[in-house]
Amino acid sequence: MVESTKYGQAALTPKQGQILVRWARQQIEQHLGVVPSRLVTDEELDLPEFRQVLGVFVTLHKRNALRGCIGSLTGAEPIVDGVRRQALNAAFYDSRFSPVTAAELDALHMEVSVLTTPQPLPYENAGQLLQLLRPDVDGIILEGPGGTRATFLPQVWKQLPTPEQFLAHLCRKAGLEEGAWRSGRLHISTYQVQSFEQPNSGEQ
């Protein structure tokens, strides 16, 4: 799956996205001392698109259940370096889960998301906010009082298909009351992603 809304950067092709998915798996395999299933070559990584500085998330699923997800909303390093870092973070340093083991590798499903630069979403009230959000397109960053902050990637719309549900759960993730978004006082930013998953047949 590829979704793209460009804010000036070059979009990645599906083939390039699959290189990043393999690159993410390779980081985890090598960390565990396992020979990479499909080694990514230096030539594959030496692309100008991969040198763009953008936010990256790596998500791991095991038998359709979340197994780890960590990333950066804004770019601090080239995409290829971000994927390396976030693959290891998602596999071994997501505090919600125990570290991934070598025995789990065959069951892990990899997804790499490359983010556009987040943009503020001005709105006057809750009703206008609901009209401005685009289900299945926008990832949302919600910032509340006291520096509370949370985000959901656009993929989360699959589980929370209405803006009301999406915002309520995002508020809860940020440690706020579920209806806090109705106050009109929260800061909202949106971004889009290009999302790449390994084929169902696996990248083993």
Side-chain angles (χ1 to χ4, degrees):
M1 177 184 69
V2 180
E3 296 177 2
S4 175
T5 300
K6 294 180 286 182
Y7 280 21
Q9 70 270 20
L12 304 177
T13 67
K15 181 178 179 180
Q16 291 166 348
Q18 288 305 310
I19 292 172
L20 295 179
V21 170
R22 288 169 47 213
W23 181 236
R25 177 175 286 276
Q26 180 175 319
Q27 307 315 306
I28 298 169
E29 290 171 331
Q30 291 179 327
H31 186 87
L32 291 168
V34 175
V35 176
S37 50
R38 287 188 61 190
L39 190 67
V40 178
T41 67
D42 291 341
E43 289 76 15
E44 287 179 301
L45 294 175
D46 188 22
L47 297 173
E49 290 86 353
F50 290 167
R51 292 193 286 271
Q52 297 176 100
V53 178
L54 297 169
V56 169
F57 273 74
V58 173
T59 304
L60 310 178
H61 285 92
K62 180 181 177 182
R63 301 186 184 95
N64 296 318
L66 183 66
R67 187 61 179 86
C69 180
I70 292 184
S72 174
L73 289 168
T74 56
E77 56 194 344
I79 291 172
V80 67
D81 295 326
V83 170
R84 177 196 293 119
R85 181 188 305 275
Q86 304 307 346
L88 294 174
N89 285 339
F92 305 110
Y93 303 109
D94 188 330
S95 61
R96 298 169 293 178
F97 304 95
S98 60
V100 165
T101 65
E104 296 179 273
L105 282 174
D106 286 348
L108 286 185
H109 184 84
M110 308 278 166
E111 181 177 5
V112 173
S113 297
V114 180
L115 281 60
T116 63
T117 302
Q119 302 292 317
L121 183 68
Y123 67 102
E124 296 295 330
N125 52 54
Q128 185 183 34
L129 176 60
L130 294 177
Q131 293 178 344
L132 291 172
L133 296 180
R134 298 178 295 171
D136 300 316
V137 175
D138 291 329
I140 300 176
I141 305 168
L142 180 150
E143 297 178 74
T148 57
R149 190 184 196 203
T151 190
F152 279 152
L153 295 172
Q155 294 91 313
V156 177
W157 288 103
K158 294 178 182 178
Q159 288 77 48
L160 305 170
T162 71
E164 292 90 343
Q165 290 175 310
F166 199 94
L167 290 168
H169 281 75
L170 189 54
C171 284
R172 188 166 66 184
K173 183 180 180 182
L176 302 171
E177 295 291 330
E178 288 191 359
W181 62 273
R182 298 181 184 276
S183 69
R185 295 192 296 270
L186 302 181
H187 181 77
I188 303 291
S189 297
T190 61
Y191 57 90
Q192 293 76 48
V193 306
Q194 285 189 273
S195 176
F196 305 95
E197 300 179 63
Q198 69 182 57
N200 291 331
S201 58
E203 287 282 337
Q204 313 306 322

